[in-house]
Amino acid sequence: MFHLGLRLSEVAHIKWSDINLGTRTILIHSKGKKSHVLPLVGKLHSLLQELHTQPRTTYLMGQKISTIKHEVYEYFILYAMITGWPFPGGVHIFRHMFITRLAYKGVLPQAIKELARVSMLDTVGLYMHMAHRDKHMISQIDLLKYE
């Protein structure tokens, strides 16, 4: 979820047949019955390669979509309680982190729109504004030149 900005329902619907380790891509079934091909990079590709050699079910994360959703959410809640995370919105925080990280890196809004699978560029604008505001605030504090 963190590496691709996936929604909970998108994670639950991933089948092993949606993953192509050879081309390093994954097919994501999104809102509105749309499908998107996303790149598998870095640690995500490595982890999926390791998992690929083990016994599997049809779905990447388990046997049944409703069970997968429930378990992922429950694990998140448990982890959030243990670590004291105060984030509202549950697992959707990973999607926000993904999009915000792209904005911080200076990725073009059009590319973020495609990678995040959002329909309107205005949605991406919210994240771009947050990233630029934070950079501006940091640059203003840097003017103080503490020594």
Side-chain angles (χ1 to χ4, degrees):
M1 294 177 85
F2 178 73
H3 289 284
L4 294 174
L6 301 178
R7 299 172 178 99
L8 182 56
S9 61
E10 293 171 340
V11 168
H13 282 89
I14 297 173
K15 295 179 180 177
W16 277 104
S17 59
D18 295 330
I19 298 168
N20 187 328
L21 294 172
T23 61
R24 293 177 168 248
T25 58
I26 185 169
L27 180 65
I28 301 299
H29 305 285
S30 220
K31 291 167 109 179
K33 300 190 186 234
K34 294 179 183 175
S35 295
H36 308 272
V37 176
L38 296 177
L40 288 176
V41 295
K43 291 180 185 179
L44 187 56
H45 182 260
S46 303
L47 289 170
L48 287 171
Q49 277 183 313
E50 288 178 33
L51 285 174
H52 193 263
T53 61
Q54 299 177 11
R56 354 174 227 191
T57 57
T58 301
Y59 294 100
L60 174 66
M61 302 291 287
Q63 302 273 1
K64 190 175 168 190
I65 291 171
S66 60
T67 305
I68 295 167
K69 286 181 182 180
H70 178 74
E71 287 179 354
V72 169
Y73 183 76
E74 289 297 317
Y75 281 125
F76 173 81
I77 295 300
L78 178 63
Y79 188 76
M81 284 176 36
I82 291 169
T83 60
W85 276 1
F87 306 120
V91 295
H92 205 70
I93 189 69
F94 296 121
R95 182 166 171 74
H96 285 277
M97 291 168 71
F98 171 74
I99 297 169
T100 303
R101 282 177 49 221
L102 291 174
Y104 273 109
K105 295 282 186 181
V107 175
L108 292 173
Q110 297 83 351
I112 294 174
K113 178 182 176 285
E114 292 302 313
L115 290 169
R117 299 157 326 279
V118 295
S119 57
M120 296 174 49
L121 204 52
D122 292 352
T123 305
V124 174
L126 298 171
Y127 295 95
M128 299 299 288
H129 176 71
M130 289 182 346
H132 291 300
R133 184 196 67 208
D134 288 350
K135 284 181 183 176
H136 175 70
M137 297 300 276
I138 290 167
S139 72
Q140 296 305 298
I141 290 172
D142 285 344
L143 292 175
L144 296 173
K145 300 211 186 278
Y146 291 106
E147 295 183 29

